[in-house]
Amino acid sequence: MMGLICNEHVKIYRRARTWIFFAAITAIAILGAALKHHTAVQLHDKETVWMFMDSMGRAVYLVIVFASIVAGDIVGGEFAGGTVKLLLIRPHRRWKILLSKYLSVLSFSFTLLVFTVFVAWLVGGLVFGFSGAGEPYLLSYGGHAVSIPASSESVRTYAYLAIPLLLTSTLAFMISTLFRSSVVAIALSVFLVLFGPVITEVLRSYAWDRFVLFANWNLAPYFENDMSPLPNMTLSFSIIVLIVYYVVFLAISWLSFTKRDVSA
């Protein structure tokens, strides 16, 4: 199994696009820090590394797109390139091959997430200083103001975003197992990532809108405002919905890949 996982990592990291993804995150951090510093000087405002890290949380949505591209290509690319037959003639069960690909997708996705956090902290610290971790950050919960350390708020910001990253990577991986064309798999995955919130808004008028994936994967409102994203939703409800979607995505991926005829 480890040999399969290492092989998948080699396939991912030998692609030029992978390093372009890392370079893009770095460039965004540097540009963002420069703009934040310029604004702070102009307005005589205070900016800290932790405030900058919170603002860099938006870059995680770009990480989600990058992860979807890799996940959408990791199986579909094998079929599109005709290498899937060479892969399946090896003395490994199909489910092991599929699992190695999925674990490699998750490894890449969360490596890019951790890299984003580290770059945001490093660049922000070099520009604004590394102090201020214990400064109070006020948030509303249950109608009351609650104070937590600024560093804890930064951790919370990225922890919340890890959930959409996991679900989107798994969704894109499932789509990759369903299509022989990597282009279709990537395009459909990125489309759902970019327009998921729009789809949620369009479906708000329907009674079953609370069962939509994109309406449940942001758990922050439950903790920050003590409110649900939509009426008749609770934290436990959203967690159950997310677990069901996750299991369904994996089940479809397994059935599609293990039962697919690759003779064509």
Side-chain angles (χ1 to χ4, degrees), residues 141-159:
Y141 184 79
H144 302 283
V146 180
S147 176
I148 62 173
S151 56
S152 298
E153 172 58 20
S154 296
V155 172
R156 279 164 31 97
T157 298
Y158 291 95

Side-chain angles (χ1 to χ4, degrees), residues 148-193:
I148 62 173
S151 56
S152 298
E153 172 58 20
S154 296
V155 172
R156 279 164 31 97
T157 298
Y158 291 95
Y160 290 141
L161 293 170
I163 298 173
L165 177 60
L166 172 64
L167 269 295
T168 306
S169 298
T170 307
L171 171 61
F173 183 78
M174 179 198 72
I175 294 173
S176 182
T177 64
L178 293 175
F179 294 93
R180 292 179 182 267
S181 171
S182 59
V183 175
V184 173
I186 292 173
L188 185 55
S189 300
V190 174
F191 173 83
L192 290 174
V193 171

Side-chain angles (χ1 to χ4, degrees), residues 225-252:
N225 303 314
D226 197 23
M227 296 174 59
S228 61
L230 294 174
N232 301 318
M233 291 175 61
T234 62
L235 176 61
S236 57
F237 173 83
S238 291
I239 291 175
I240 291 173
V241 169
L242 293 176
I243 292 175
V244 170
Y245 270 107
Y246 182 73
V247 172
V248 169
F249 290 162
L250 290 181
I252 293 175

